[in-house]
Amino acid sequence: MCSSLIAKEVTESLLNVQRMASRIEKLSHISSGQGPGVTRLAYTESDERATQQVEEWMIAAGMVITRDQFHNVIGRYEGTDVSAAPVVVGSHIDSVPEGGAYDGVLGVLAGIEVVQELSTRGMRCIRPIHVMIFRDEEGVRFQAGLIGSKGFTGLLREQDLQLQDEKGITLAEAITALGEDESITTVIVKQPNIASYVELHIKQGPLLDEYKIPCSVVNGIAGAARYRFKVVGNPGHAGTVPMALRKDALLAAAEIILAIEQQAILHDSLVATVGHLSVLPGASNVIPGVVEGSLDIRSLDEQLIKSSIATIIQVCEQICRLRGVDVSFTCVGYSPPVQASKRMISLIESVLAQHKITALPLVSGAGHDAMVMGAITEMGMIFVRCKEGISHHPAEYVDISDMEVALDVLFGVIYQLANDF
Ligand SMILES: [Zn+2]
């Protein structure tokens, strides 16, 4: 079924979910290594082979393709106003090692299907539509991520080109290896003029599956603060120091972790994780003297991140004072939240409503190219249910009936955006 928004012009949808599903299957076999799942690290031979395959599908759908200096692919479907700023729909097709078939790929191929539907009918929107493949979203190879979208928007830093993979190959060398052009020496680009950006992506978490909703709107992408904490107590003999005289750093850290959980569960819109601990000296017969840990705290509400961190530090200092140990927190990373545009949220909600889907407002806890594109244009995202929310894993799976609904919704959204609703 096609969006009723264009019912006047189109009576029956030609959106071909079977074709899209078989293309996803085909791409899943373009993988490096022998392991299960998809391994397509950025700017590698398998990544490039998959990119060339998708370019062929773009051309078949009626697009003219170009690449920018970062080898991001831009498939352009002309509008009736050739000088109008385009609507961009995009995502990535690189993967983590032994990842899933749908992460990123679904968004790119869904964009191609939308254009294929228009071109098959000989329909043009007012604005051009660009379907984009952003390179190196995952960040596995160069430990950075969102490289392509940052490059495209002019947000990549000059020094990022010198990032190295584990073989010592720099990002600049990896990009240059893909083309016959001169080597890439600068990240300076002319900032693109884009009307709006929409990204369809699998929901990398269990909420849609839990609520049995095929797809929904994303309110924004959570900001993330990353801290290291260090608790310093007194090491001692596990057999000779009485309990009352101990300054056990690990016991203090245990209380700290529980206090962090308590602070996080006070707020529905906040998540906090202690994912790494190291205990020194780390012997079964020695009282732990030093514990170092990580804290990852995320929310769409920047103020809430800041106030929660302040409270956590205060509570943890109190815990450690009572235990006679010291604690310190060091910020090691921060990325601010990015809100989807209100106009885009209400447009996506209205298209969902036409398909009788109650919008469950979602926050993305994971980063996406949309968070970078949100810096230069209005941004919106549609999340699609993925079985049990499993992602970055060979078991990643999206039901074809969910893909069909999502494709319809994406069509309705792009059609309106490109016709300046
Ligand atoms: Zn992704």
Side-chain angles (χ1 to χ4, degrees), residues 91-92 94 103-105 137-138 199 201-202 204 367-368 392:
S91 198
H92 63 97
D94 67 318
D103 180 355
V105 169
E137 190 268 357
E138 294 288 5
E199 182 166 349
H201 201 281
I202 54 167
Q204 294 169 296
H368 296 288
H392 283 185

Side-chain angles (χ1 to χ4, degrees), residues 109-261:
L109 296 193
I112 294 173
E113 275 306 320
V114 168
V115 169
Q116 180 85 63
E117 161 86 350
L118 291 168
S119 71
T120 303
R121 294 181 180 282
M123 288 167 65
R124 297 273 172 198
C125 298
I126 297 168
R127 293 185 180 279
I129 298 168
H130 287 187
V131 181
M132 285 198 64
I133 305 171
F134 292 109
R135 307 302 283 255
D136 198 356
E137 190 268 357
E138 294 288 5
V140 175
R141 184 170 172 194
F142 297 99
Q143 301 290 308
L146 302 170
I147 292 285
S149 46
K150 283 183 178 170
F152 179 71
T153 53
L155 297 173
L156 201 66
R157 301 167 307 169
E158 207 74 39
Q159 65 260 39
D160 293 333
L161 289 176
Q162 300 314 316
L163 290 167
Q164 292 185 4
D165 69 4
E166 57 186 18
K167 292 182 183 147
I169 298 168
T170 65
L171 175 62
E173 287 165 347
I175 294 173
T176 303
L178 294 188
E180 293 126 31
D181 303 350
E182 283 176 28
S183 59
I184 180 167
T185 52
T186 179
V187 294
I188 295 167
V189 297
K190 186 167 168 279
Q191 202 164 78
N193 180 21
I194 286 164
S196 43
Y197 176 77
V198 60
E199 182 166 349
L200 181 133
H201 201 281
I202 54 167
K203 169 73 180 139
Q204 294 169 296
L207 265 184
L208 287 175
D209 207 25
E210 188 96 2
Y211 285 88
K212 303 195 177 358
I213 295 175
C215 59
S216 196
V217 62
V218 179
N219 280 357
I221 300 170
R226 293 185 189 87
Y227 279 73
R228 300 281 312 160
F229 63 84
K230 185 174 185 180
V231 184
V232 181
N234 272 349
H237 195 293
T240 61
V241 184
M243 296 307 286
L245 298 180
R246 293 186 179 198
K247 291 180 176 174
D248 185 325
L250 184 56
L251 288 176
E255 270 199 70
I256 282 174
I257 296 165
L258 291 172
I260 289 168
E261 183 197 26

